Amino acid sequence: MFESLDVFAIVVEQSSLNKASKLLNLSQPALSRKIAKLENDLGVSLFHRRGKRLELTSIGHLTYTFALEQNKHQQQFLRTLSQHKDGSQISVTLGASLTTLQTTLPPLINTFMERHPTAEIKLVTGRTHEIVSALREKKIDVGIVASSIYERGLHCIPLFEDHLELVLPIHHPLAETKVVNMKHLHGMPMISFSSGTWYRKLTDELFQSTGIMPDIRMEIDSFEAIVRLLPTCKAVTLLPKSYLHQQLLNDNQLKVIHIPDLKETRRTTSLIYGEYTELSKAARQWIEETEALFNRLDLQL
């Protein structure tokens, strides 16, 4: 039908079967049969025939608009397909959790885009099990999750280890305490992650194992919102070390205090993907360059 729509659009633009048949290198009877078949397939009349003159019906106008749109999409698809085949266009669909999006992805994407300025990166967010499902269903090329995933048919590359740190305003009473431990957090006003998130489960397990009950004042999904609210609420929080860049702390007048017990919240952020041979050239580039980047960072440390 799509080919017939292209032919129909040319007839409309030429306003004549005779002119259109010459342009398409078809006999006029053959062209008439194509238009008649299209009308039969659609079950509508596309033209009013006034002698040799053709006038579009109202549904004919609608069909012409659709024909132009589908032709545009078809051409875009063919260009993308051609670029995919010759490797000239880099397009990668990534899956990541919201926390990974806020901590790990920005520097990765910046580094990749510096090397490939015309690359197209699409992002799908979700919880870890949703990212794994999207990967299996081939809705994404690569996933980055804050855990190690070892399942049949999936490959997992550990990128780095992370753990939670205590973060508080520089004028908070605990800021001047020389040695801080978990007991200091008992009854302490705190902003925490929302229930159901991985980091919240991690902190709940930590508090339960140490017998600590902080005073949870707010539950928020966004790292940025937590950071901005800490000074206002005069509260503390636990955030992943990978997120706590010095500029972020300086801009928000915050301080990080290391508590040895928080090492127990260690978590490995990993890159996951399906069968390597089935991946596009762009996806393979992302995997190789991401792994190389973290290998260099390990060597520098």
Side-chain angles (χ1 to χ4, degrees):
M1 181 182 290
F2 289 144
E3 180 183 352
S4 298
L5 285 170
D6 290 340
V7 170
F8 164 70
I10 291 174
V11 172
V12 174
E13 289 159 3
Q14 296 300 313
S15 301
S16 163
L17 283 173
N18 184 42
K19 292 180 181 178
S21 64
K22 291 178 180 178
L23 185 63
L24 292 167
N25 196 27
L26 284 173
S27 68
Q28 191 167 325
L31 180 56
S32 295
R33 287 194 295 270
K34 282 183 176 291
I35 296 300
K37 185 177 185 308
L38 177 62
E39 289 180 317
N40 184 63
D41 289 342
L42 296 176
V44 296
S45 295
L46 299 173
F47 293 104
H48 293 301
R49 289 161 174 82
R50 315 289 189 190
K52 294 184 179 181
R53 188 162 55 89
L54 298 176
E55 293 181 2
L56 282 174
T57 61
S58 58
I59 196 65
H61 281 287
L62 181 64
T63 304
Y64 176 61
T65 299
F66 174 74
L68 294 181
E69 290 177 351
Q70 75 85 24
N71 181 265
K72 179 181 177 181
H73 292 312
Q74 180 182 352
Q75 295 305 314
Q76 178 60 46
F77 169 72
L78 292 175
R79 284 194 297 271
T80 302
L81 186 62
S82 175
Q83 291 168 345
H84 176 82
K85 287 179 179 178
D86 64 22
S88 61
Q89 175 61 44
I90 296 177
S91 179
V92 185
T93 302
L94 305 175
S97 66
L98 183 59
T99 51
T100 304
L101 172 62
Q102 295 178 91
T103 57
T104 310
L105 272 187
L108 278 182
I109 292 176
N110 288 340
T111 301
F112 192 78
M113 293 301 292
E114 285 176 359
R115 293 189 175 191
H116 311 284
T118 62
E120 180 182 83
I121 297 179
K122 300 177 182 177
L123 184 64
V124 175
T125 59
R127 295 183 178 179
T128 297
H129 72 276
E130 294 171 330
I131 298 304
V132 171
S133 295
L135 198 59
R136 290 195 179 281
E137 295 168 9
K138 301 187 185 304
K139 293 179 179 178
I140 60 174
D141 299 311
V142 183
I144 299 180
V145 294
S147 60
S148 297
I149 304 293
Y150 296 103
E151 295 184 13
R152 187 173 182 177
L154 295 182
H155 300 271
C156 178
I157 300 176
L159 297 179
F160 66 93
E161 287 193 345
D162 205 0
H163 65 269
L164 298 177
E165 294 275 24
L166 178 65
V167 185
L168 42 74
I170 58 175
H171 300 301
H172 192 279
L174 273 184
E176 301 303 322
T177 304
K178 290 185 178 181
V179 179
V180 178
N181 55 45
M182 292 298 296
K183 292 180 180 179
H184 286 92
L185 302 184
H186 189 77
M188 180 69 66
M190 176 176 284
I191 300 177
S192 183
F193 301 102
S194 297
S195 298
T197 60
W198 172 77
Y199 282 113
R200 179 58 182 272
K201 292 178 182 177
L202 196 62
T203 54
D204 285 350
E205 290 173 2
L206 176 67
F207 292 143
Q208 185 175 6
S209 66
T210 54
I212 302 302
M213 292 184 63
D215 178 11
I216 305 296
R217 298 289 179 88
M218 292 185 182
E219 298 181 357
I220 305 175
D221 279 337
S222 167
F223 288 171
E224 182 180 358
I226 291 176
V227 163
R228 291 183 178 278
L229 287 169
L230 282 178
T232 303
C233 299
K234 299 179 181 178
V236 303
T237 193
L238 299 176
L239 292 174
K241 184 179 179 181
S242 60
Y243 181 67
L244 301 173
H245 304 295
Q246 192 58 50
Q247 191 60 51
L248 174 78
L249 299 172
N250 293 343
D251 291 345
N252 293 277
Q253 296 188 302
L254 300 176
K255 180 177 181 179
V256 172
I257 294 182
H258 177 67
I259 298 179
D261 284 346
L262 290 178
K263 283 284 188 178
E264 298 303 317
T265 63
R266 187 180 292 111
R267 187 93 170 196
T268 301
T269 291
S270 305
L271 185 150
I272 57 175
Y273 58 93
E275 290 301 324
Y276 191 81
T277 55
E278 296 179 2
L279 294 173
S280 66
K281 180 180 178 181
R284 293 197 296 269
Q285 278 183 290
W286 173 273
I287 292 169
E288 292 166 4
E289 293 183 20
T290 297
E291 187 175 15
L293 173 63
F294 280 96
N295 286 338
R296 288 198 301 274
L297 292 176
D298 284 342
L299 290 174
Q300 291 172 8
L301 295 174

